[in-house]
Amino acid sequence: MAMAMASVQLGRQTSIQDSPRSPEAKLGMQVEDLWDVQEPELSPNEKLNACFESIPVSAFPIAPQGIEIKSDASLAEAVQILAQNKILSAPVVDVDAPEDATWMDRYIGIVEFAGIAVWILQQSEPSSPRSPSSPNGAEFAIAANGMVSAAGLGALGPEDASNTSGDFFEALTSSEFYKNTKVRDISGSFRWAPFLALQKSNTFLTMLLLLSKYKMKSVPVLDLGDGKIDNIITQSAVIHMLAECTGLHWFESWGSKKLSEIGLPTMSPEHIITVYEDEPVLQAFKLMRKKRIGGIPVIECGGKKAIGNISLRDVQFLLTAPDIYCDYRSITAKNFLIAVRNYLEKHEKRSPMLSGMITCKRDETVKELIQKLNSEKIQRVYVTDEDGNLEGVITLRDIISRLVHEPRGYFGDFFDGVLPLPENSRV
């Protein structure tokens, strides 16, 4: 045991001396220092909880974006801002807020690339329309419903692949509806709520619990001095931090465990939401919205093998690059994957969708999976058996949720009636 410990410590020292340390690795060293002084009778999981509770979120490296979107920006302008800055979400500033407004009055919420598209898709369901919060919300909803009804998407089902018009989103993105609807008009869509933010003095443990158990994709960190968002910490940023901590004792003691040892994947194969390769791609996006999940595997017809993955953020290709499918009268999930890959080969040097289907096995370690997710810049990985059949899915949230646990009464009754989302929610 002593020899193994010495080996880990030697690996840590060699790693630190041979390579320049990133801000994330330096943060990992803070955890290491705290880890070494924890009470010996504590379990490794309790030690990690104690370490993360002792570090303020202000220590997390500042994200380089700093992009904000004004509430009176159109959906088209918001999509363009997000696409040009290569980001998936941004805080929305209320242009009508006074100069001395508190942060709660200054910010409406966080708008996401996928949230815009999901809201648009939602308008194709007249049976349960959601009226935006603006005075003209009803008119916007009626206009949207009329447009999608004309496109034949009102009752889209698996059998409708041949009827899915390829120019639907192309027509939508050139429409006055898309150009004139303001970001504030869709502020009631489900991906905006709840808008929670942390103060700089809040702890890492609080942040990690919000990103895992409470299913937030990103957590804003506020500077109460000027009432503005100082940082936005995402699930991806946390996974990157963990990847940078390779060689540190606390990380190795946790990361060396096999996925099956820490209870991953959590979902059985029969409960995984899938779409077959010959189903319309819009069916995949509607399923993601209905089930509140961030991605869906595309399964070969008549089998159990996954040929690819479609995520909510891939909806951006329907909004920003409608020409990727202009040659199709209808576009299935399989054809969408092919069209996007062809498009990316011409326009992008690197993209997760160019890597093909990323999978793992149950006997891989947590560290191996973190390194894979970080290097491939993906949000989820699919677990397969030796024959390539789908066995499960593991998301960034799943991994973070295995890193920490919520102490009894930690948030009190703060989330009662608000969070968490339904148990099957995996956004």
Side-chain angles (χ1 to χ4, degrees):
M1 184 69 179
M3 184 176 295
M5 180 72 75
S7 175
V8 171
Q9 293 293 340
L10 179 60
R12 166 188 162 187
Q13 293 170 1
T14 302
S15 174
I16 293 173
Q17 292 171 356
D18 292 350
S19 62
R21 303 308 288 172
S22 64
E24 291 81 6
K26 292 179 179 178
L27 187 53
M29 286 296 300
Q30 290 186 43
V31 180
E32 182 86 329
D33 293 338
L34 291 166
W35 172 275
D36 290 339
V37 298
Q38 294 299 319
E39 296 295 331
E41 65 271 13
L42 293 178
S43 68
N45 190 250
E46 290 171 330
K47 281 188 177 183
L48 279 179
N49 255 42
C51 292
F52 289 127
E53 179 66 3
S54 300
I55 300 177
V57 293
S58 58
F60 202 93
I62 301 293
Q65 47 192 52
I67 303 298
E68 296 182 340
I69 294 177
K70 294 182 178 179
S71 61
D72 61 353
S74 69
L75 297 188
E77 291 169 336
V79 166
Q80 185 177 30
I81 291 170
L82 294 172
Q84 287 178 344
N85 290 281
K86 297 185 183 301
I87 55 177
L88 299 178
S89 63
V92 178
V93 178
D94 187 352
V95 294
D96 297 323
E99 284 292 324
D100 59 349
T102 64
W103 74 268
M104 295 185 71
D105 293 324
R106 173 179 168 81
Y107 293 102
I108 293 178
I110 302 288
V111 67
E112 296 184 341
F113 218 138
I116 294 174
V118 166
W119 182 85
I120 292 169
L121 284 178
Q122 195 171 34
Q123 308 311 307
S124 70
E125 301 174 18
S127 59
S128 58
R130 289 199 180 190
S131 297
S133 58
S134 72
N136 296 322
E139 286 84 348
F140 282 127
I142 291 170
N145 284 327
M147 180 179 298
V148 296
S149 296
L153 299 176
L156 187 66
E159 70 282 359
D160 295 324
S162 61
N163 299 323
T164 305
S165 174
D167 61 0
F168 166 64
F169 271 95
E170 189 169 13
L172 176 62
T173 54
S174 62
S175 71
E176 291 303 308
F177 165 73
Y178 180 67
K179 295 175 182 176
N180 293 335
T181 302
K182 305 300 183 183
V183 172
R184 63 187 170 211
D185 297 326
I186 70 168
S187 61
S189 67
F190 76 90
R191 294 186 64 84
W192 288 61
F195 179 56
L196 301 176
L198 294 177
Q199 299 179 30
K200 287 184 174 183
S201 58
N202 287 129
T203 71
F204 252 63
L205 179 59
T206 301
M207 176 266 290
L208 293 172
L209 289 171
L210 291 178
L211 291 176
S212 56
K213 179 176 179 178
Y214 293 98
K215 302 177 176 66
M216 294 178 66
K217 297 283 284 186
S218 59
V219 179
V221 180
L222 287 166
D223 184 335
L224 290 181
D226 57 13
K228 295 183 178 180
I229 292 176
D230 185 64
N231 195 11
I232 296 180
I233 304 175
T234 64
Q235 292 176 345
S236 297
V238 171
I239 294 298
H240 176 63
M241 182 205 81
L242 294 174
E244 290 290 295
C245 294
T246 300
L248 298 176
H249 180 212
W250 70 267
F251 178 79
E252 294 293 338
S253 68
W254 175 70
S256 60
K257 297 180 184 297
K258 292 182 178 181
L259 298 175
S260 56
E261 288 183 69
I262 64 169
L264 294 177
T266 61
M267 185 178 291
S268 57
E270 60 269 20
H271 289 111
I272 301 174
I273 306 300
T274 63
V275 63
Y276 284 106
E277 61 184 357
D278 59 348
E279 292 186 80
V281 71
L282 290 184
Q283 174 71 5
F285 289 124
K286 291 182 77 171
L287 273 174
M288 282 184 262
R289 185 198 61 77
K290 182 179 179 181
K291 301 295 184 179
R292 293 190 174 186
I293 54 178
I296 285 185
V298 180
I299 306 298
E300 63 181 5
C301 292
K304 297 181 179 179
K305 294 182 179 179
I307 65 168
N309 173 72
I310 297 175
S311 69
L312 269 179
R313 65 177 176 179
D314 296 330
V315 113
Q316 65 182 284
F317 298 112
L318 297 179
L319 292 177
T320 61
D323 54 303
I324 68 172
Y325 58 83
C326 64
D327 295 332
Y328 299 89
R329 287 294 300 166
S330 64
I331 183 161
T332 62
K334 180 180 179 179
N335 288 339
F336 176 79
L337 289 173
I338 294 172
V340 169
R341 284 170 186 163
N342 290 339
Y343 174 83
L344 290 172
E345 286 174 354
K346 297 176 182 178
H347 297 85
E348 298 277 349
K349 293 182 179 180
R350 176 176 172 79
S351 169
M353 290 195 75
L354 289 176
S355 302
M357 188 70 175
I358 307 298
T359 63
C360 71
K361 299 291 190 296
R362 290 177 183 269
D363 61 356
E364 290 187 27
T365 66
V366 178
K367 178 170 69 172
E368 289 171 334
L369 180 57
I370 286 175
Q371 292 172 334
K372 183 179 297 185
L373 289 165
N374 182 60
S375 63
E376 297 290 345
K377 308 301 180 190
I378 53 178
Q379 304 289 311
R380 61 187 43 75
V381 65
Y382 293 99
V383 184
T384 59
D385 61 18
E386 294 303 323
D387 297 323
N389 295 316
L390 194 61
E391 284 197 324
V393 58
I394 300 175
T395 65
L396 305 184
R397 181 178 71 82
D398 292 331
I399 296 173
I400 299 171
S401 70
R402 291 300 186 271
L403 181 66
V404 293
H405 67 274
E406 181 180 353
R408 182 181 296 274
Y410 188 79
F411 287 108
D413 59 359
F414 181 80
F415 289 121
D416 288 358
V418 180
L419 284 175
L421 297 175
E423 290 184 6
N424 64 347
S425 174
R426 299 177 62 78
V427 172

